[in-house]
Amino acid sequence: MKKSFLDNIKGAIFDLDGTMLDSAWVWDQVDGDFLGARGFTVPEDYVDMIAPMGAESAAVYTIERFGLYHENPEDIVREWFDMAKQEYAAQVFCKPYVKEYIESLYQNGVKMAVATSSDRELFLNTLERERLLDRFSAIVTVKDVARGKGFPDIYEEALRRIGTEKSRTVVFEDVLTCVKGAKSGGFPVVAVHDEKSEKNRKELMREADLYIDSFSEILPGY
């Protein structure tokens, strides 16, 4: 599908990590440090497996996959957050042209929502620092719905909150599982390049309605 289908949208639902925020490096560091301290290296498929989950579900998955049965999910989540929180507060920024694109949508009356597997404790201050928080009419996390981002639940809830027509509400995602989840709900989807998802580029291009390497490609006037 050509990018012209974005010209008449009324709603937009944005993933955060890897889509809006250049934050994959934080979680690479957290995953490496966390598992390394327990004698494991990060498996190649680990990020793809936990990306659609909330933190609590990811912690349960991690316990089961690595046999960490002496640990509990709450402590693991707290350890992850403590490791990531400082970086989100000071070192996580928007990817290039994200702010400009979101501002262009806002100025054109497009209603926007965040749909993320991340936790408000981490990203709210980042969005406020980046002066984007007030551009969103709704923020939905996987804690607000029954299933993770491999299913359409979170996008359906975001749509319900902003009140736009599904066919004119675009989902922006970077992870293949999440793109498939949004598509299974009947949403038009733009897949956004991120380094951690590069290995899935061909599948992302096939599954999504549009694949972009940068938001500059869809920014009016560029």
Side-chain angles (χ1 to χ4, degrees), residues 174-195:
D174 67 304
V175 174
L176 180 60
T177 303
C178 305
V179 168
K180 289 181 175 180
K183 288 298 296 181
S184 73
F187 288 88
V189 179
V190 174
V192 181
H193 169 77
D194 192 66
E195 185 176 346

Side-chain angles (χ1 to χ4, degrees), residues 144-188:
D144 301 321
V145 294
R147 299 180 293 182
K149 294 181 81 176
F151 301 90
D153 305 32
I154 192 169
Y155 312 107
E156 296 281 5
E157 176 61 17
L159 182 73
R160 185 188 69 79
R161 294 189 189 186
I162 62 176
T164 51
E165 183 183 349
K166 180 183 289 187
S167 64
R168 300 180 72 181
T169 302
V170 178
V171 172
F172 293 83
E173 277 283 2
D174 67 304
V175 174
L176 180 60
T177 303
C178 305
V179 168
K180 289 181 175 180
K183 288 298 296 181
S184 73
F187 288 88

Side-chain angles (χ1 to χ4, degrees), residues 10-221:
K10 295 298 183 183
I13 301 170
F14 289 88
D15 170 57
L16 285 181
D17 296 304
T19 299
M20 284 177 52
L21 300 179
D22 184 12
S23 53
W25 64 272
V26 176
W27 294 109
D28 287 344
Q29 182 176 303
V30 168
D31 293 341
D33 290 349
F34 176 85
L35 290 175
R38 290 155 175 82
F40 300 100
T41 56
V42 181
E44 186 175 341
D45 66 336
Y46 181 68
V47 171
D48 287 339
M49 294 302 295
I50 65 171
M53 305 177 186
E56 291 78 6
S57 296
V60 171
Y61 172 83
T62 300
I63 288 171
E64 293 177 350
R65 178 161 185 175
F66 297 97
L68 304 175
Y69 298 113
H70 61 289
E71 304 195 44
N72 67 69
E74 294 79 12
D75 290 342
I76 289 177
V77 170
R78 177 45 52 195
E79 184 173 344
W80 287 343
F81 282 6
D82 288 345
M83 296 167 75
K85 198 170 184 178
Q86 184 174 351
E87 306 298 348
Y88 268 80
Q91 299 296 329
V92 170
F93 302 94
C94 285
K95 297 175 82 170
Y97 298 101
V98 165
K99 290 196 284 187
E100 292 88 343
Y101 183 66
I102 288 174
E103 185 63 24
S104 72
L105 294 183
Y106 182 78
Q107 294 300 329
N108 282 290
V110 176
K111 298 189 72 173
M112 291 177 282
V114 167
T116 179
S117 300
S118 192
D119 194 279
R120 287 176 171 84
E121 178 181 344
L122 293 178
F123 65 76
L124 284 180
N125 288 339
T126 304
L127 291 180
E128 188 168 16
R129 169 170 47 78
E130 292 289 85
R131 298 181 180 179
L132 288 176
L133 189 58
D134 65 352
R135 293 315 192 225
F136 294 98
S137 300
I139 293 177
V140 186
T141 78
V142 291
K143 289 182 179 180
D144 301 321
V145 294
R147 299 180 293 182
K149 294 181 81 176
F151 301 90
D153 305 32
I154 192 169
Y155 312 107
E156 296 281 5
E157 176 61 17
L159 182 73
R160 185 188 69 79
R161 294 189 189 186
I162 62 176
T164 51
E165 183 183 349
K166 180 183 289 187
S167 64
R168 300 180 72 181
T169 302
V170 178
V171 172
F172 293 83
E173 277 283 2
D174 67 304
V175 174
L176 180 60
T177 303
C178 305
V179 168
K180 289 181 175 180
K183 288 298 296 181
S184 73
F187 288 88
V189 179
V190 174
V192 181
H193 169 77
D194 192 66
E195 185 176 346
K196 72 177 186 298
S197 298
E198 175 61 27
K199 63 184 180 297
N200 294 322
R201 173 186 281 260
K202 289 183 179 179
E203 287 184 88
L204 285 164
M205 293 179 75
R206 183 169 61 250
E207 293 289 338
D209 297 286
L210 178 68
Y211 182 94
I212 60 171
D213 285 292
S214 167
F215 278 87
S216 64
E217 297 170 34
I218 54 175
L219 186 63

